[in-house]
Amino acid sequence: MLKRTFNCFLHIGGILTLIMFMSGCSLLKGPLYPDVIYNNRQPLISVTYEYGEIEVKLPLNYIGVVPEIISFEVYAHGDTANPIISILQEAPRVFFVYLPQGVLDIHSKSNIIKIIPQDKNFRPVTVRFKGIRFGRIALPPKSIQMGQLIVNGKVFLNKNEAPLGGVDVSIQNFDNVIKETTTNDSGFYQLSVPGEYKYAQHLRLVAGNNMIFKPFKQKLDFSQTLKMKYNIGMGPNKAMEDPIYLTNRESVHFREQPDIGSETLFLLGAGEAVSVTRVTPGEYYGSIEIKVDSEKMVQLDGWVNRADVILLDLNNVFKK
């Protein structure tokens, strides 16, 4: 009788224990373990878990020159101080990255991919995107290019250093205009062209095509920089004495003597300044400025036909 009662008690206790265990499993949430869990008993029982994966695909479009190496950094939830992953690789046509499930913000575009070419001539690019829990994300193509090439400065009148507004300024490759602008009332201008022209051999700055003076032309070499500054003086310099005349056409003969058949020293372009000191019925004698050694200006004397020049009026320096 005692044995039967004891067995009954064990049976009832076992049922209560089982009920409590089952209730506990439904009411309590245990911790998640990243490793395999063993019960250390025989037979050996183990528990494992699986998680999803996020594949991000980003096509890249290179404009002009392609950088050799690019660093990719992926951030989540707008936290740009702690990247989820950083990858340094040769410039790919398509960037792939694989992330664990649950790391991305799935509610807003606070996830970021920073594309950082390992070349100071290229601009870093940032891509923002909305995440998913797991699966594939296909982002639209992103363009990678060199930074803009910039040239700026002021345009002024050489004779009195007055700023010149309304002057046409352009960047040209050979004779093709890439970008053009007009100076403001303070004579300031700024032009920018794509970085693909960084190593162009025939890039030049041109100013004053809408003025009566000879246009200013300067070769541009961006191979060592992304930004330049050129202040541009237009017209004759202070050293040239009045009265000053300007050639009114191309290929004007500047001769050694006024006589017919005299040796031509130079063929002057339209808008060249001549400081006149002597006058004959058909000729003007005076000096012109010639640039030597790239920067130094020297004056040379000679004769021009009176029909090939007009008197300079500083109050009217734009072409009509």
Side-chain angles (χ1 to χ4, degrees):
M1 183 66 179
L2 178 61
K3 182 177 180 181
R4 182 180 298 174
T5 302
F6 181 72
N7 287 338
C8 182
F9 177 77
L10 288 176
H11 179 66
I12 295 171
I15 292 174
L16 291 172
T17 303
L18 179 60
I19 293 172
M20 291 176 65
F21 177 77
M22 294 176 65
S23 299
C25 289
S26 63
L27 297 175
L28 301 176
K29 183 178 181 181
L32 298 177
Y33 295 95
D35 301 317
V36 175
I37 303 172
Y38 297 97
N39 67 349
N40 294 322
R41 293 183 181 181
Q42 294 297 332
L44 188 64
I45 299 175
S46 65
V47 179
T48 62
Y49 72 96
E50 294 181 356
Y51 62 88
E53 188 177 59
I54 304 170
E55 176 190 284
V56 182
K57 176 183 177 182
L58 175 61
L60 299 175
N61 178 31
Y62 299 100
I63 300 176
V65 181
V66 179
E68 293 184 3
I69 304 295
I70 297 180
S71 172
F72 296 90
E73 298 176 354
V74 183
Y75 300 85
H77 299 276
D79 180 8
T80 56
N82 303 294
I84 300 173
I85 188 171
S86 296
I87 301 173
L88 188 68
Q89 64 179 102
E90 292 184 0
R93 290 295 173 181
V94 180
F95 170 65
F96 287 96
V97 65
Y98 299 91
L99 306 172
Q101 176 183 350
V103 298
L104 297 177
D105 181 356
I106 64 172
H107 301 293
S108 65
K109 291 186 176 182
S110 66
N111 308 296
I112 299 170
I113 299 176
K114 285 188 177 181
I115 307 170
I116 310 172
Q118 302 301 290
D119 184 330
K120 64 180 182 180
N121 294 315
F122 287 81
R123 296 179 299 177
V125 176
T126 298
V127 179
R128 292 184 174 271
F129 65 99
K130 184 178 180 180
I132 56 177
R133 292 188 184 280
F134 61 88
R136 291 186 175 91
I137 299 176
L139 297 174
K142 197 68 177 179
S143 295
I144 308 296
Q145 62 181 347
M146 283 186 172
Q148 293 284 303
L149 308 176
I150 299 173
V151 59
N152 61 29
K154 289 187 175 183
V155 180
F156 57 92
L157 198 61
N158 278 324
K159 201 68 175 171
N160 54 18
E161 298 184 356
L164 289 171
V167 178
D168 291 342
V169 187
S170 65
I171 294 180
Q172 301 180 9
N173 190 31
F174 292 97
D175 290 327
N176 300 317
V177 176
I178 304 172
K179 199 69 174 290
E180 58 185 341
T181 188
T182 302
T183 58
N184 63 17
D185 291 341
S186 299
F188 179 79
Y189 73 92
Q190 178 166 299
L191 292 165
S192 61
V193 294
E196 61 188 272
Y197 290 100
K198 183 174 180 63
Y199 300 105
Q201 297 295 313
H202 301 281
L203 206 64
R204 62 180 182 174
L205 178 67
V206 179
N209 276 330
N210 62 334
M211 303 188 73
I212 61 176
F213 305 120
K214 178 183 178 181
F216 170 90
K217 297 179 181 181
Q218 173 65 50
K219 183 178 180 181
L220 298 176
D221 181 4
F222 284 102
S223 61
Q224 302 300 319
T225 185
L226 294 177
K227 190 172 183 178
M228 295 183 185
K229 182 176 182 178
Y230 276 107
N231 291 326
I232 302 171
M234 300 298 301
N237 290 310
K238 294 178 181 179
M240 297 191 74
E241 297 181 358
D242 293 332
I244 295 176
Y245 289 76
L246 298 180
T247 53
N248 55 19
R249 65 179 181 85
E250 297 290 338
S251 302
V252 171
H253 288 265
F254 187 71
R255 297 192 298 270
E256 185 176 12
Q257 299 294 333
D259 307 321
I260 297 176
S262 175
E263 180 183 357
T264 297
L265 302 175
F266 293 98
L267 286 176
L268 305 181
E272 294 273 11
V274 182
S275 175
V276 174
T277 56
R278 289 173 57 189
V279 179
T280 68
E283 303 281 339
Y284 284 137
Y285 176 78
S287 59
I288 61 172
E289 287 188 326
I290 301 295
K291 181 180 289 188
V292 296
D293 298 332
S294 73
E295 294 296 333
K296 185 179 178 181
M297 302 292 291
V298 298
Q299 292 190 0
L300 296 177
D301 296 331
W303 294 84
V304 293
N305 192 301
R306 292 183 62 170
D308 293 334
V309 293
I310 57 173
L311 182 64
L312 170 62
D313 178 6
L314 290 179
N315 296 316
N316 190 13
V317 294
F318 288 92
K319 293 178 180 177
K320 297 180 180 180

